[in-house]
Amino acid sequence: SSETLIVRVASLIAQHGVLAAILAGLQFGTIANLNNLLYRLEHEGKDVVLTDGYWNLMKGEALGLRAFHYFDLLRLYGPVYSEDPEMKCLPWRTEFNADQKSLESAGVIAQHILEDLTQAEELLKDDPLNYKNDLNNPFLGLRKHRMNKMAVKALMARVYLWIGDKENAALKAKEVIEQCGLELVISNIQDASLYDETIFCLGMDDMANTLKDDWKSINTYSNELYISYDNANTVFERTTIGLNDIRYRNSYGFIHGNNGLMCRKYLSKDKNYSEKIPLIRLSEMYYILAESVSLKESVTYINKVRNARGISRNNNIEANDSYDEAARKEALNKEYQKDFFAEGQYFYFLKRHNYKTVWRCPVEKMDYYVLPTPDDEIAYGNGK
């Protein structure tokens, strides 16, 4: 199951510093390139980027992307934030050089991230949000893949929720829902990755060939990524509310084979939807709102996603006397499992709430939320 895989991977990384170092190296390599770009934009860009508005778009995207990478590093190497925001976990680098940097606390890193995003939001305020492919103007003609102003706002919602600022998390999530122009996907037969509601994503060239060994057969099941019928029935609540859930149904969210089910998110053959890897989707904004507002209001946003996915309104969650904080968290726990299956976001939900166990947890206690500081950071970066 996805939960067992999450725990096993987390424990493997926690026990082998080399894997943690590889993850950090990839992220910091991109941050170094972004810092180089930002330096050149500041010192040379205004003399080179002459088209009106382009400089603002480029710098806004670069700041948003730096924040995006740093936030993923914070979520991996930082603490369970509600438990220890003062834990020193990462260096903050804004220059393209080899200077040593001391580790800063999770709280300080989070504020740096929000400062980048605040600047990016202002720079991108005139972003045209053109989601259509205009071959005559490629830079402005396809903004959906990019770190556009809605992606920046959505990332701000994520960060605010992570640090426990629910008021601002709700504010930004609501702005995205009301201003992005996207709607929740109600059918994923063609749009397997839910691309039509994706706020920020990656494109992977030749995805089908690259991932063929992971998804090559629905009936043999050797090394392919699949889920058993018993596990899928539990995760997607098939026998109670989930029979018509598009996240579960055959030829919708999964291909149902002889021995199990294979997720379709990365199998789409439709040229308009293939080779897409979602990183931030609209449904997450509804879940952030649901977690940040009153109990009575929260069910509106959870039910909105559930209904879009095919769960009958007759099975709506009701804000009655039994719907307390624990019930809200459990409802969101179930929805994160379903909606972000094979996307990687569920792990961060578990970490944010410091779950000590999960369904089918292969260890007695979940102590693998914080990745170890890479050895090179300790040796060369004033780490501790």
Side-chain angles (χ1 to χ4, degrees):
S1 74
S2 59
E3 294 78 8
T4 302
L5 182 62
I6 286 169
V7 175
R8 291 199 185 282
V9 170
S11 62
L12 180 66
I13 292 172
Q15 295 172 48
H16 296 279
V18 64
L19 295 178
I22 290 171
L23 283 174
L26 291 170
Q27 297 273 37
F28 273 117
T30 305
I31 290 170
N33 288 330
L34 289 165
N35 285 340
N36 190 32
L37 172 60
L38 286 163
Y39 176 86
R40 292 185 177 277
L41 283 171
E42 281 294 331
H43 293 84
E44 305 166 10
K46 289 183 178 178
D47 296 326
V48 177
V49 183
L50 302 178
T51 306
D52 186 42
Y54 275 30
W55 186 89
N56 282 3
L57 285 177
M58 293 172 71
K59 184 175 181 182
E61 285 188 27
L63 286 168
L65 287 168
R66 183 169 71 184
F68 182 88
H69 285 283
Y70 251 116
F71 185 54
D72 266 6
L73 285 167
L74 177 62
R75 293 195 294 181
L76 287 169
Y77 294 90
V80 175
Y81 195 90
S82 61
E83 299 289 315
D84 187 12
E86 299 303 316
M87 172 188 163
K88 295 185 181 299
C89 54
L90 292 169
W92 180 257
R93 297 186 177 275
T94 60
E95 297 177 332
F96 184 64
N97 58 39
D99 292 351
Q100 288 186 330
K101 295 284 185 180
S102 298
L103 301 182
E104 297 191 27
S105 72
V108 169
I109 294 295
Q111 289 308 308
H112 286 320
I113 291 169
L114 287 169
E115 287 166 6
D116 270 5
L117 290 171
T118 300
Q119 289 186 63
E121 185 179 33
E122 176 62 24
L123 287 163
L124 295 170
K125 64 182 180 182
D126 296 322
D127 185 347
L129 282 181
N130 190 342
Y131 291 161
K132 296 180 180 179
N133 192 4
D134 181 358
L135 297 180
N136 295 319
N137 194 345
F139 188 67
L140 295 180
L142 187 57
R143 300 287 300 152
K144 188 172 183 180
H145 280 176
R146 311 184 71 131
M147 181 56 71
N148 59 46
K149 66 181 177 183
M150 288 300 118
V152 167
K153 290 177 183 290
L155 183 55
M156 293 177 87
R158 259 189 193 175
V159 178
Y160 279 127
L161 188 64
W162 187 261
I163 66 174
D165 186 346
K166 292 186 176 181
E167 182 178 354
N168 277 313
L171 177 67
K172 290 303 175 185
K174 200 164 188 177
E175 285 182 15
V176 174
I177 290 170
E178 293 176 349
Q179 299 172 19
C180 71
L182 304 176
E183 298 289 341
L184 292 168
V185 169
I186 61 174
S187 175
N188 51 0
I189 293 178
Q190 291 180 301
D191 184 9
S193 66
L194 306 178
Y195 174 70
D196 279 343
E197 70 172 54
T198 296
I199 298 164
F200 179 53
C201 75
L202 289 177
M204 178 185 283
D205 291 336
D206 197 21
M207 179 188 281
N209 187 57
T210 303
L211 301 179
K212 64 182 181 181
D213 289 338
D214 293 329
W215 317 95
K216 62 185 176 183
S217 173
I218 188 59
N219 291 320
T220 58
Y221 301 122
S222 53
N223 295 318
E224 295 89 346
L225 300 174
Y226 70 95
I227 182 171
S228 72
Y229 274 98
D230 286 343
N231 292 338
N233 290 344
T234 300
V235 170
F236 294 97
E237 302 179 276
R238 176 188 176 279
T239 59
T240 53
I241 65 172
L243 184 61
N244 293 315
D245 193 329
I246 64 170
R247 297 169 294 190
Y248 166 83
R249 287 179 64 184
N250 189 25
S251 299
Y252 286 75
F254 284 87
I255 299 172
H256 295 202
N258 293 335
N259 305 311
L261 298 81
M262 190 172 288
C263 181
R264 289 188 64 242
K265 282 184 179 175
Y266 308 107
L267 296 177
S268 178
K269 296 180 181 179
D270 187 299
K271 65 179 181 180
N272 295 312
Y273 299 111
S274 62
E275 303 188 338
K276 306 294 190 296
I277 302 175
L279 297 178
I280 306 176
R281 291 195 289 103
L282 184 61
S283 60
E284 185 180 352
M285 298 300 105
Y286 281 96
Y287 295 148
I288 289 174
L289 259 181
E291 191 168 338
S292 302
V293 297
S294 69
L295 286 169
K296 182 178 180 181
E297 189 180 355
S298 71
V299 296
T300 302
Y301 302 116
I302 299 175
N303 289 332
K304 175 79 173 180
V305 182
R306 283 160 54 112
N307 297 158
R309 302 303 193 231
I311 295 176
S312 170
R313 287 179 173 79
N314 293 330
N315 294 311
N316 277 358
I317 300 171
E318 296 183 6
N320 52 31
D321 292 341
S322 64
Y323 186 74
D324 56 11
E325 287 293 347
R328 167 160 55 183
K329 188 170 79 168
E330 180 56 22
L332 287 167
N333 177 38
K334 290 179 178 179
E335 289 303 305
Y336 268 82
Q337 288 185 77
K338 297 172 187 176
D339 225 66
F340 303 115
F341 194 94
E343 292 184 36
Q345 293 304 317
Y346 181 48
F347 173 79
Y348 299 120
F349 175 85
L350 296 175
K351 178 171 180 175
R352 184 157 50 78
H353 288 286
N354 199 21
Y355 274 76
K356 295 304 181 183
T357 188
V358 296
W359 177 65
R360 298 187 73 247
C361 188
V363 294
E364 185 174 341
K365 183 180 179 181
M366 264 298 292
D367 285 326
Y368 303 112
Y369 287 130
V370 182
L371 272 61
T373 302
D375 294 341
D376 284 353
E377 187 63 53
I378 296 173
Y380 305 113
N382 284 343
K384 182 178 181 181

